[in-house]
């Protein structure tokens, strides 16, 4: 393994420790890093900081993804975005990034080792394939893949290139309540996990943002572009089901979707639910776009993890330590 590849693997391992990212390819052990006493979650690599770039920023999740990689010691060097307004807002937050005129400039830059994206969902997998084919690793917003055809091609190219194709499931990796629940489950606090029940309402919020742009662009209403409600926002809940039950295989016993409140958007889905059975446990997922405007959160979701010796309930919108303690209920 050459030195460049060692640095790449080292950086990604440190990023996992800093932000909780789970990446598809195996990472090296015995990685040395320096950790600040004042900011224990921030990891600064001693040498060989990895350079990363961003391509396409159609969803604001890109800010959280960028912050996660920076916390891991990454150096943001470049941005390509087709929308001037979105690019201007991003560069205001991250002025260190150089705005380039084309995707090609980033893909063909040998100094850039990692590419981040929150492009339109149906464009994320094709971009990831191009990134891997150019010898770089890839981290994208969810859903990172929206069709079985895309999945097959991503797996094929990932195997051919031996590059990393990763998806940021922020509701598990960057939610303090869910992180604590993971620790408790690993410690055996509730015994063997039998089932997860995940209720995940979201807010449409189809107004006008601070930038003057419509909060929900045209692609948001087209299931052929966002993948459908179960593939889109439901991908978080599928990820949590597999994680907490330890299932490596699962089947959908029942699923249904509907458009109950947006007749003017025939390609939109505002409700969906699923029943699951896997080799580690069962699961139920409900997702919707019915969070009312009067509620001061984007979605007051609930995750219940049922074990043989107790249960854990996580309210995903809680952020402070006191709120997290109040939101996690354990009995054993």
């Amino acid at each position: 393994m050459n030195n460049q590849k060692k640095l790449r693997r080292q950086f990604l391992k440190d990023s996992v420790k800093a932000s909780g990212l789970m990446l598809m390819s195996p990472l090296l052990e015995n990685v040395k890093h320096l950790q600040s006493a004042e900011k224990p979650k921030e990891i600064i690599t001693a040498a060989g900081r990895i350079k990363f770039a961003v391509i396409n920023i159609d969803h604001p999740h890109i800010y959280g993804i960028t912050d996660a990689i920076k916390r891991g010691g990454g150096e943001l060097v470049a941005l390509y975005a087709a929308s001037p307004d979105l690019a201007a807002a991003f560069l205001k937050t991250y002025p260190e990034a150089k705005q380039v005129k084309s995707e090609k400039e980033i893909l063909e830059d040998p100094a850039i080792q990692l590419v981040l994206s929150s492009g339109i969902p149906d464009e994320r997998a094709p971009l990831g394939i191009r990134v891997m084919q150019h010898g770089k690793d890839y981290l994208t917003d969810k859903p990172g893949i929206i069709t079985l055809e895309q999945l097959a091609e991503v797996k094929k190219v990932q195997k051919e290139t031996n590059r990393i194709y990763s998806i940021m499931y922020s509701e598990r990796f960057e939610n303090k309540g869910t992180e604590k629940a993971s620790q408790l489950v690993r410690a055996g606090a509730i015994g063997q996990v039998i089932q997860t029940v995940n209720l995940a309402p979201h807010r449409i919020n189809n107004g006008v943002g601070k930038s003057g742009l419509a909060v929900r662009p045209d692609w948001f209403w087209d299931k052929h572009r966002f993948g459908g409600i179960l593939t889109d926002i439901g991908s978080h809940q599928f990820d949590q089901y597999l994680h907490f039950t330890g299932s490596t295989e699962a089947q959908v016993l029942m699923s249904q979707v509907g458009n109950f409140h947006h007749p003017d958007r025939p390609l939109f889905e505002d409700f969906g639910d699923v029943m699951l059975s896997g080799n580690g446990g069962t699961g139920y997922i409900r997702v919707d776009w019915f969070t009312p405007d009067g509620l001061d959160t984007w979605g007051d979701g609930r995750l219940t993890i049922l074990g043989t010796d107790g249960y854990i309930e996580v309210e995903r919108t809680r952020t402070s330590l006191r709120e997290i303690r109040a939101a996690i209920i354990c009995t054993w």
Side-chain angles (χ1 to χ4, degrees), residues 50-89:
I50 194 169
K51 296 181 185 298
F52 74 96
V54 172
I55 297 177
N56 297 337
I57 51 176
D58 296 274
H59 196 289
H61 282 166
I62 193 61
Y63 291 90
I65 298 172
T66 300
D67 289 343
I69 295 300
K70 291 185 67 175
R71 287 198 306 270
E75 179 185 354
L76 175 60
V77 297
L79 164 73
Y80 170 70
S83 167
D85 297 299
L86 294 177

Side-chain angles (χ1 to χ4, degrees), residues 285-297:
I285 295 167
R286 192 203 78 204
V287 290
D288 66 72
W289 287 103
F290 294 127
T291 294
D293 291 338
L295 197 63
D296 62 347
T297 178

Side-chain angles (χ1 to χ4, degrees), residues 259-332:
N259 184 346
F260 292 96
H261 195 55
H262 300 84
D264 57 325
R265 305 286 188 172
L267 295 180
F268 188 60
E269 296 170 350
D270 54 25
F271 172 87
D273 69 344
V274 180
M275 289 181 62
L276 299 164
S277 177
N279 58 359
T282 65
Y284 175 75
I285 295 167
R286 192 203 78 204
V287 290
D288 66 72
W289 287 103
F290 294 127
T291 294
D293 291 338
L295 197 63
D296 62 347
T297 178
W298 54 268
D300 192 14
R302 297 287 190 277
L303 166 64
T304 301
I305 308 164
L306 177 65
T308 53
D309 299 323
Y311 68 93
I312 299 172
E313 183 178 281
V314 181
E315 297 180 35
R316 70 177 181 205
T317 56
R318 306 305 181 184
T319 57
S320 73
L321 182 58
R322 178 173 293 180
E323 286 178 320
I324 290 164
R325 285 174 176 165
I328 296 182
I329 305 169
C330 300
T331 52
W332 55 86

Side-chain angles (χ1 to χ4, degrees), residues 5 23 34 62 74-75 77 126 137 147 186 191 198 219 229 291 320 325:
K5 191 172 183 180
L23 303 175
L34 300 178
I62 193 61
E75 179 185 354
V77 297
D137 297 317
T147 68
R186 283 197 301 270
N198 214 317
W219 61 262
I229 191 170
T291 294
S320 73
R325 285 174 176 165

